[in-house]
Amino acid sequence: MPKQPGVWVEVDSQGEYAGGLYVRWNAPELGEAGMRAVAERQDPAAPEWKRYAEVVLLMQTALIGILRLAGFSVVRAEEVDDVAEGDVYVHADTPSSS
């Protein structure tokens, strides 16, 4: 994961949706503070972690809305890859339904 704040983009070069993009909003300081709070307190519901998770969800929703308004075919990345939670997936074109 990148250590700089901002947007991170990765081209999907394999599989059914090759040519699409994964987009992630990145706030490393906020994420690290959340993970540190969970580890130090042994509390998976630490407020710092919950705040980070809420911000990730808000940013994912905002990115999807903005990109759709711009005419892109966009979904929550979990719909394409269940490991990509919190990311956004921009299709290269409309996926075929085979």
Side-chain angles (χ1 to χ4, degrees):
M1 179 179 295
K3 293 290 186 184
Q4 295 295 321
V7 176
W8 169 81
V9 177
E10 178 184 351
V11 176
D12 184 4
S13 59
Q14 301 177 3
E16 181 180 354
Y17 301 107
L21 300 171
Y22 287 97
V23 180
R24 172 182 299 144
W25 173 79
N26 190 38
E29 289 181 16
L30 188 60
E32 289 169 8
M35 287 188 286
R36 195 170 38 254
V38 167
E40 288 174 359
R41 296 185 208 132
Q42 298 293 307
D43 178 11
E48 296 88 345
W49 180 253
K50 288 175 73 174
R51 179 172 178 246
Y52 173 69
E54 289 172 3
V55 170
V56 167
L57 180 60
L58 287 168
M59 287 304 295
Q60 181 189 48
T61 302
L63 284 170
I64 288 172
I66 291 164
L67 291 169
R68 282 184 180 164
L69 282 173
F72 292 95
S73 175
V74 184
V75 295
R76 292 176 40 220
E78 298 92 311
E79 295 179 25
V80 175
D81 179 355
D82 58 356
V83 178
E85 186 175 347
D87 292 358
V88 170
Y89 192 84
V90 183
H91 291 284
D93 53 24
T94 306
S96 62
S97 52
S98 0

